Amino acid sequence: MVTLAVGTEKGGWLLRSRDRDAWEVSGPLFPGWRVTALGRAPGGTYLAGVASDWFGPAVHRSRDLADWEQVVHGPSFPEGGDRTLNEIWTIQPAGEAVWAGVDEAGLFRSTDDGASWAPVAGFNDRPDRDVWMPGAGGLCAHRVLAAGDRLWVGVSAVGVLRSEDRGVSFRRADGGMPTTVSEADGAPAAGFCVHGLVADPDDPDRIWRQDHLGVFRTADGGDHWERVEAGLPGAFGFPVVRDHATGRLFVVPLHSDQNRVPVDGRFRVYCSDDDGDSWRVAGTGWPDGPTYTIVLRGAMTTDGLDPCGVYAGTTSGAVWGSVDGGEAWRRLPGTFPRILAVAAFPDT
Amino acid sequence: MARVTVRLPRLLSPVADGDRHVIVEADDIDGVVAGLLDRHPGLRAHLFDEAGRLRPHVLCAVDGQPTRLDGPIRPLRDGSRVVFVPSVAGG
């Protein structure tokens, strides 16, 4: 049994399947709200980040994906300050905690399955924040990787920050990366526009990065990055995910930052079986006709089953999936509003 | 104290146990807001920002008179109506 939770501009939906062949759609959840992040806390509680242009963001909790309750003490910047919390961008469990990355760039931690959240001062109060700048999607902490006491937080358009002490302190992890801004004397403190991050759980220093300026990898936790784009029709894109059983990587290449569509309308997921040394179209099943749609950074995921399921939700409201590790792809049922987030919950 | 009806936007009714109308007894508008948030604390994050200001795209009216809740407001009476609505734009 697998449940895909799909968050969109206007509500959320669930796609459930016992065999990953026949899918049943239910919803909407949170009608009228943007569903911007979906995840599961270590204790099993499901979490959803929602937002409204009028009424701001909130985190909701559920034990069964059906009945949801808003968290009263959700992520929030200190009252009386000038920093506003606009959106929950990612919800990432790690060990006994769950982390939330938000816009305006902030990091929050819960140790009670999302019932209450505390700000991470080592991140939120960094002295170099005054030179941080937003990307097109805002100034957002949108990716969190965690391994033991170590954390990596991706921020647009700032870069990757790494902590070795569970978020007490952070340092830059953009070694060798190009920047989207003119580099002044010395190392720039911002302008590294990371879009997607995924790490090898068996060696967390091995990280792949879909960046504004291309696809990169590091073997030392971000001290040195190298470009890995051979075979991609375009280096721009948003998500990168990995089948950890086989090591296969997946990205969705787009034409360029100025033209954020698939090259020639050929919507395809690409994959790499050699850690990014080379890329090819992932399997078959892709549309023959022009398909100018894209996959946002939070809208691609894997289910961790064997063989691995890989799922991508598009800005045109389609969910594409493969349940054989990325070889045979098809559209799953439903056409939804613009998809912002996709999460897979196996065994539900 | 005046018995006041607070009307909420449809999008916020799930935060108020499904209700769009909440009866609050209070002496003034500050008491109305306090009573509303005491009963439904999840509304605070949706109606007010971190600085405690009414969110910029939320409108409030007391007995038909728009207010940002930061200036003088006519006295409440039994039957007064406080309305929170989302601003409307576009075409």
Side-chain angles (χ1 to χ4, degrees):
Chain A
M1 188 81 177
V2 175
T3 300
L4 292 183
V6 178
T8 82
E9 283 282 352
K10 292 293 180 187
W13 279 264
L14 302 176
L15 282 69
R16 281 198 165 99
S17 177
R18 294 189 179 280
D19 54 8
R20 298 191 296 175
D21 181 34
W23 295 85
E24 182 178 333
V25 180
S26 62
L29 307 170
F30 314 110
W33 291 81
R34 284 200 311 278
V35 180
T36 57
L38 296 154
R40 197 172 190 186
T45 300
Y46 299 98
L47 301 170
V50 307
S52 151
D53 289 338
W54 295 274
F55 304 119
V59 172
H60 291 250
R61 304 170 78 224
S62 175
R63 292 299 301 179
D64 57 8
L65 289 168
D67 295 320
W68 293 83
E69 182 178 9
Q70 182 178 317
V71 174
V72 173
H73 302 291
S76 178
F77 291 117
E79 289 188 17
D82 58 0
R83 195 177 298 168
T84 59
L85 199 152
N86 303 308
E87 190 166 304
I88 311 294
W89 270 80
T90 187
I91 294 171
Q92 180 65 44
E96 297 177 352
V98 58
W99 303 82
V102 308
D103 177 335
E104 176 182 335
L107 186 64
F108 294 82
R109 181 171 182 258
S110 171
T111 55
D112 56 7
D113 259 24
S116 63
W117 297 79
V120 179
F123 183 91
N124 296 352
D125 300 335
R126 279 182 62 85
D128 62 352
R129 287 185 67 102
D130 57 345
V131 298
W132 291 10
M133 66 185 72
L139 179 58
C140 48
H142 57 77
R143 294 270 78 78
V144 177
L145 304 177
D149 289 342
R150 310 179 72 200
L151 283 177
W152 290 260
V153 182
V155 188
S156 288
V158 177
V160 176
L161 292 98
R162 185 175 78 211
S163 172
E164 307 285 352
D165 50 17
R166 288 195 183 194
V168 175
S169 62
F170 284 85
R171 56 181 286 240
R172 305 306 301 249
D174 294 306
M177 284 295 300
T179 175
T180 55
V181 298
S182 299
E183 189 167 343
D185 292 340
F192 299 100
C193 194
V194 56
H195 290 174
L197 291 171
V198 68
D200 177 355
D202 295 326
D203 182 358
D205 277 328
R206 297 205 318 145
I207 301 170
W208 292 264
R209 171 177 182 154
Q210 173 66 68
D211 193 89
H212 192 106
L213 297 178
V215 181
F216 298 81
R217 72 181 173 201
T218 177
D220 56 14
D223 291 335
H224 302 85
W225 294 90
E226 63 175 329
R227 194 179 287 274
V228 284
E229 299 165 352
L232 292 176
F236 188 88
F238 290 104
V240 55
V241 302
R242 184 175 187 264
D243 173 0
H244 296 310
T246 65
R248 178 175 284 181
L249 297 158
F250 300 91
V251 296
V252 186
L254 305 179
H255 182 277
S256 63
D257 65 343
Q258 299 295 310
N259 189 22
R260 301 178 178 195
V261 294
V263 176
D264 298 328
R266 294 172 60 81
F267 174 74
R268 309 280 187 270
V269 170
Y270 276 64
C271 68
S272 173
D273 291 317
D274 49 17
D275 295 331
D277 285 337
S278 64
W279 298 87
R280 64 176 173 85
V281 173
T284 58
W286 300 109
D288 293 327
T291 307
Y292 288 92
T293 191
I294 72 172
V295 178
L296 299 177
R297 72 196 75 190
M300 192 172 186
T301 193
T302 57
D303 63 17
L305 298 176
D306 181 18
C308 189
V310 189
Y311 310 95
T314 74
T315 51
S316 303
V319 179
W320 287 83
S322 161
V323 296
D324 60 359
E327 293 299 333
W329 291 80
R330 68 181 177 106
R331 259 194 80 166
L332 304 188
T335 301
F336 306 101
R338 187 174 192 252
I339 294 175
L340 308 174
V342 176
F345 303 120
D347 303 322
T348 56
Chain B
M1 289 196 290
R3 186 175 166 86
V4 176
T5 299
V6 180
R7 185 171 187 269
L8 296 169
R10 186 182 307 276
L11 215 55
L12 294 184
S13 64
V15 190
D17 300 330
D19 293 332
R20 292 195 64 194
H21 297 86
V22 180
I23 305 296
V24 178
E25 292 189 355
D27 291 322
D28 54 27
I29 188 64
D30 290 343
V32 170
V33 171
L36 176 68
L37 299 184
D38 182 60
R39 193 175 309 172
H40 301 299
L43 288 172
R44 178 183 299 279
H46 295 307
L47 295 176
F48 299 94
D49 64 18
E50 284 85 346
R53 296 174 300 234
L54 194 63
R55 285 189 173 275
H57 300 300
V58 175
L59 307 178
C60 181
V62 178
D63 290 328
Q65 295 299 308
T67 173
R68 299 304 298 168
L69 298 175
D70 55 359
I73 295 172
R74 71 175 61 177
L76 299 173
R77 54 177 172 73
D78 268 339
S80 282
R81 291 174 60 85
V82 175
V83 180
F84 291 96
V85 293
S87 59
V88 176

